[in-house]
Amino acid sequence: MDPTKSSTPPPPPVMGAPVGYPPTAYPPAAAAAAGAGAYAPQLYAPPAAAAAQQAVAAQQQLQMFWAEQYREIEATTDFKNHNLPLARIKKIMKADEDVRMIAAEAPVVFARACEMFILELTHRGWAHAEENKRRTLQKSDIAAAIARTEVFDFLVDIVPRDDAKDADAAAAAAAAAAAGIPRPVAGVPATDPLAYYYAPQQ
């Protein structure tokens, strides 16, 4: 009978006991230290490295997105089918009293621009949702995408971040209590440092 093959099962593992690996599974410690670059499988990435990898992946996805959009725009020959309603876009454009006439091509261009805007904001929001290990896009993801992207600064007041708002309100309330400032009247935002100057609404 071969001494390497046994019919009895191996003993159960003991917590804290060293484990013997086959000699070909991993390089010897001296060889691993000498040639760290030769054999470096990363089984665990530290949180900072994982975040950096996610950021790089998100940036690559955005670059691929814009490259695809550019190819799609160049290949477009059919301008009659649109994802957004042209009549609604034209109505929004006419909301400006200075606008008298609108060329037929203008709503088409706006429809495509709005579609690309929504797609990019969705991509950036989705990257934030994946960072938080979620598979559902939420308002907070869109708010985070807006806060992180300088081009979207014009939306900061329209889509406020809930966590930033709550933190600001708590900080303002703590500062007001420490300074002896009375609480603001009803209907006045708690984050306003000059809230006590407002007259109550009647």
Side-chain angles (χ1 to χ4, degrees), residues 56-130:
V56 169
Q59 190 64 29
Q60 288 174 344
Q61 284 179 339
L62 278 173
Q63 288 174 348
M64 289 178 5
F65 163 74
W66 281 112
E68 178 62 30
Q69 292 298 312
Y70 187 73
R71 278 193 297 273
E72 192 176 313
I73 288 170
E74 285 184 334
T76 299
T77 57
D78 179 24
F79 295 99
K80 296 191 185 292
N81 296 323
H82 310 286
N83 292 333
L84 298 174
L86 296 182
R88 180 70 177 139
I89 292 171
K90 194 170 184 179
K91 186 176 181 181
I92 293 169
M93 292 171 73
K94 285 194 170 186
D96 185 357
E97 57 194 34
D98 294 336
V99 176
R100 301 274 184 245
M101 301 287 287
I102 298 171
E105 304 89 22
V108 174
V109 172
F110 268 104
R112 184 68 177 130
C114 290
E115 183 181 339
M116 290 168 56
F117 170 76
I118 293 167
L119 284 171
E120 181 178 3
L121 196 53
T122 303
H123 273 278
R124 290 180 183 273
W126 183 253
H128 185 264
E130 284 184 331

Side-chain angles (χ1 to χ4, degrees), residues 44-47 50-51 54 125-138 141:
Y44 170 75
Q54 283 181 337
W126 183 253
H128 185 264
E130 284 184 331
E131 284 176 19
N132 293 320
K133 298 177 178 41
R134 282 186 280 108
R135 302 292 293 170
T136 304
L137 191 63
Q138 298 176 353
D141 300 320

Side-chain angles (χ1 to χ4, degrees), residues 161-173 191:
R161 289 189 70 158
D162 293 335
D163 55 349
K165 191 178 2 174
D166 295 342
D168 288 346
T191 58

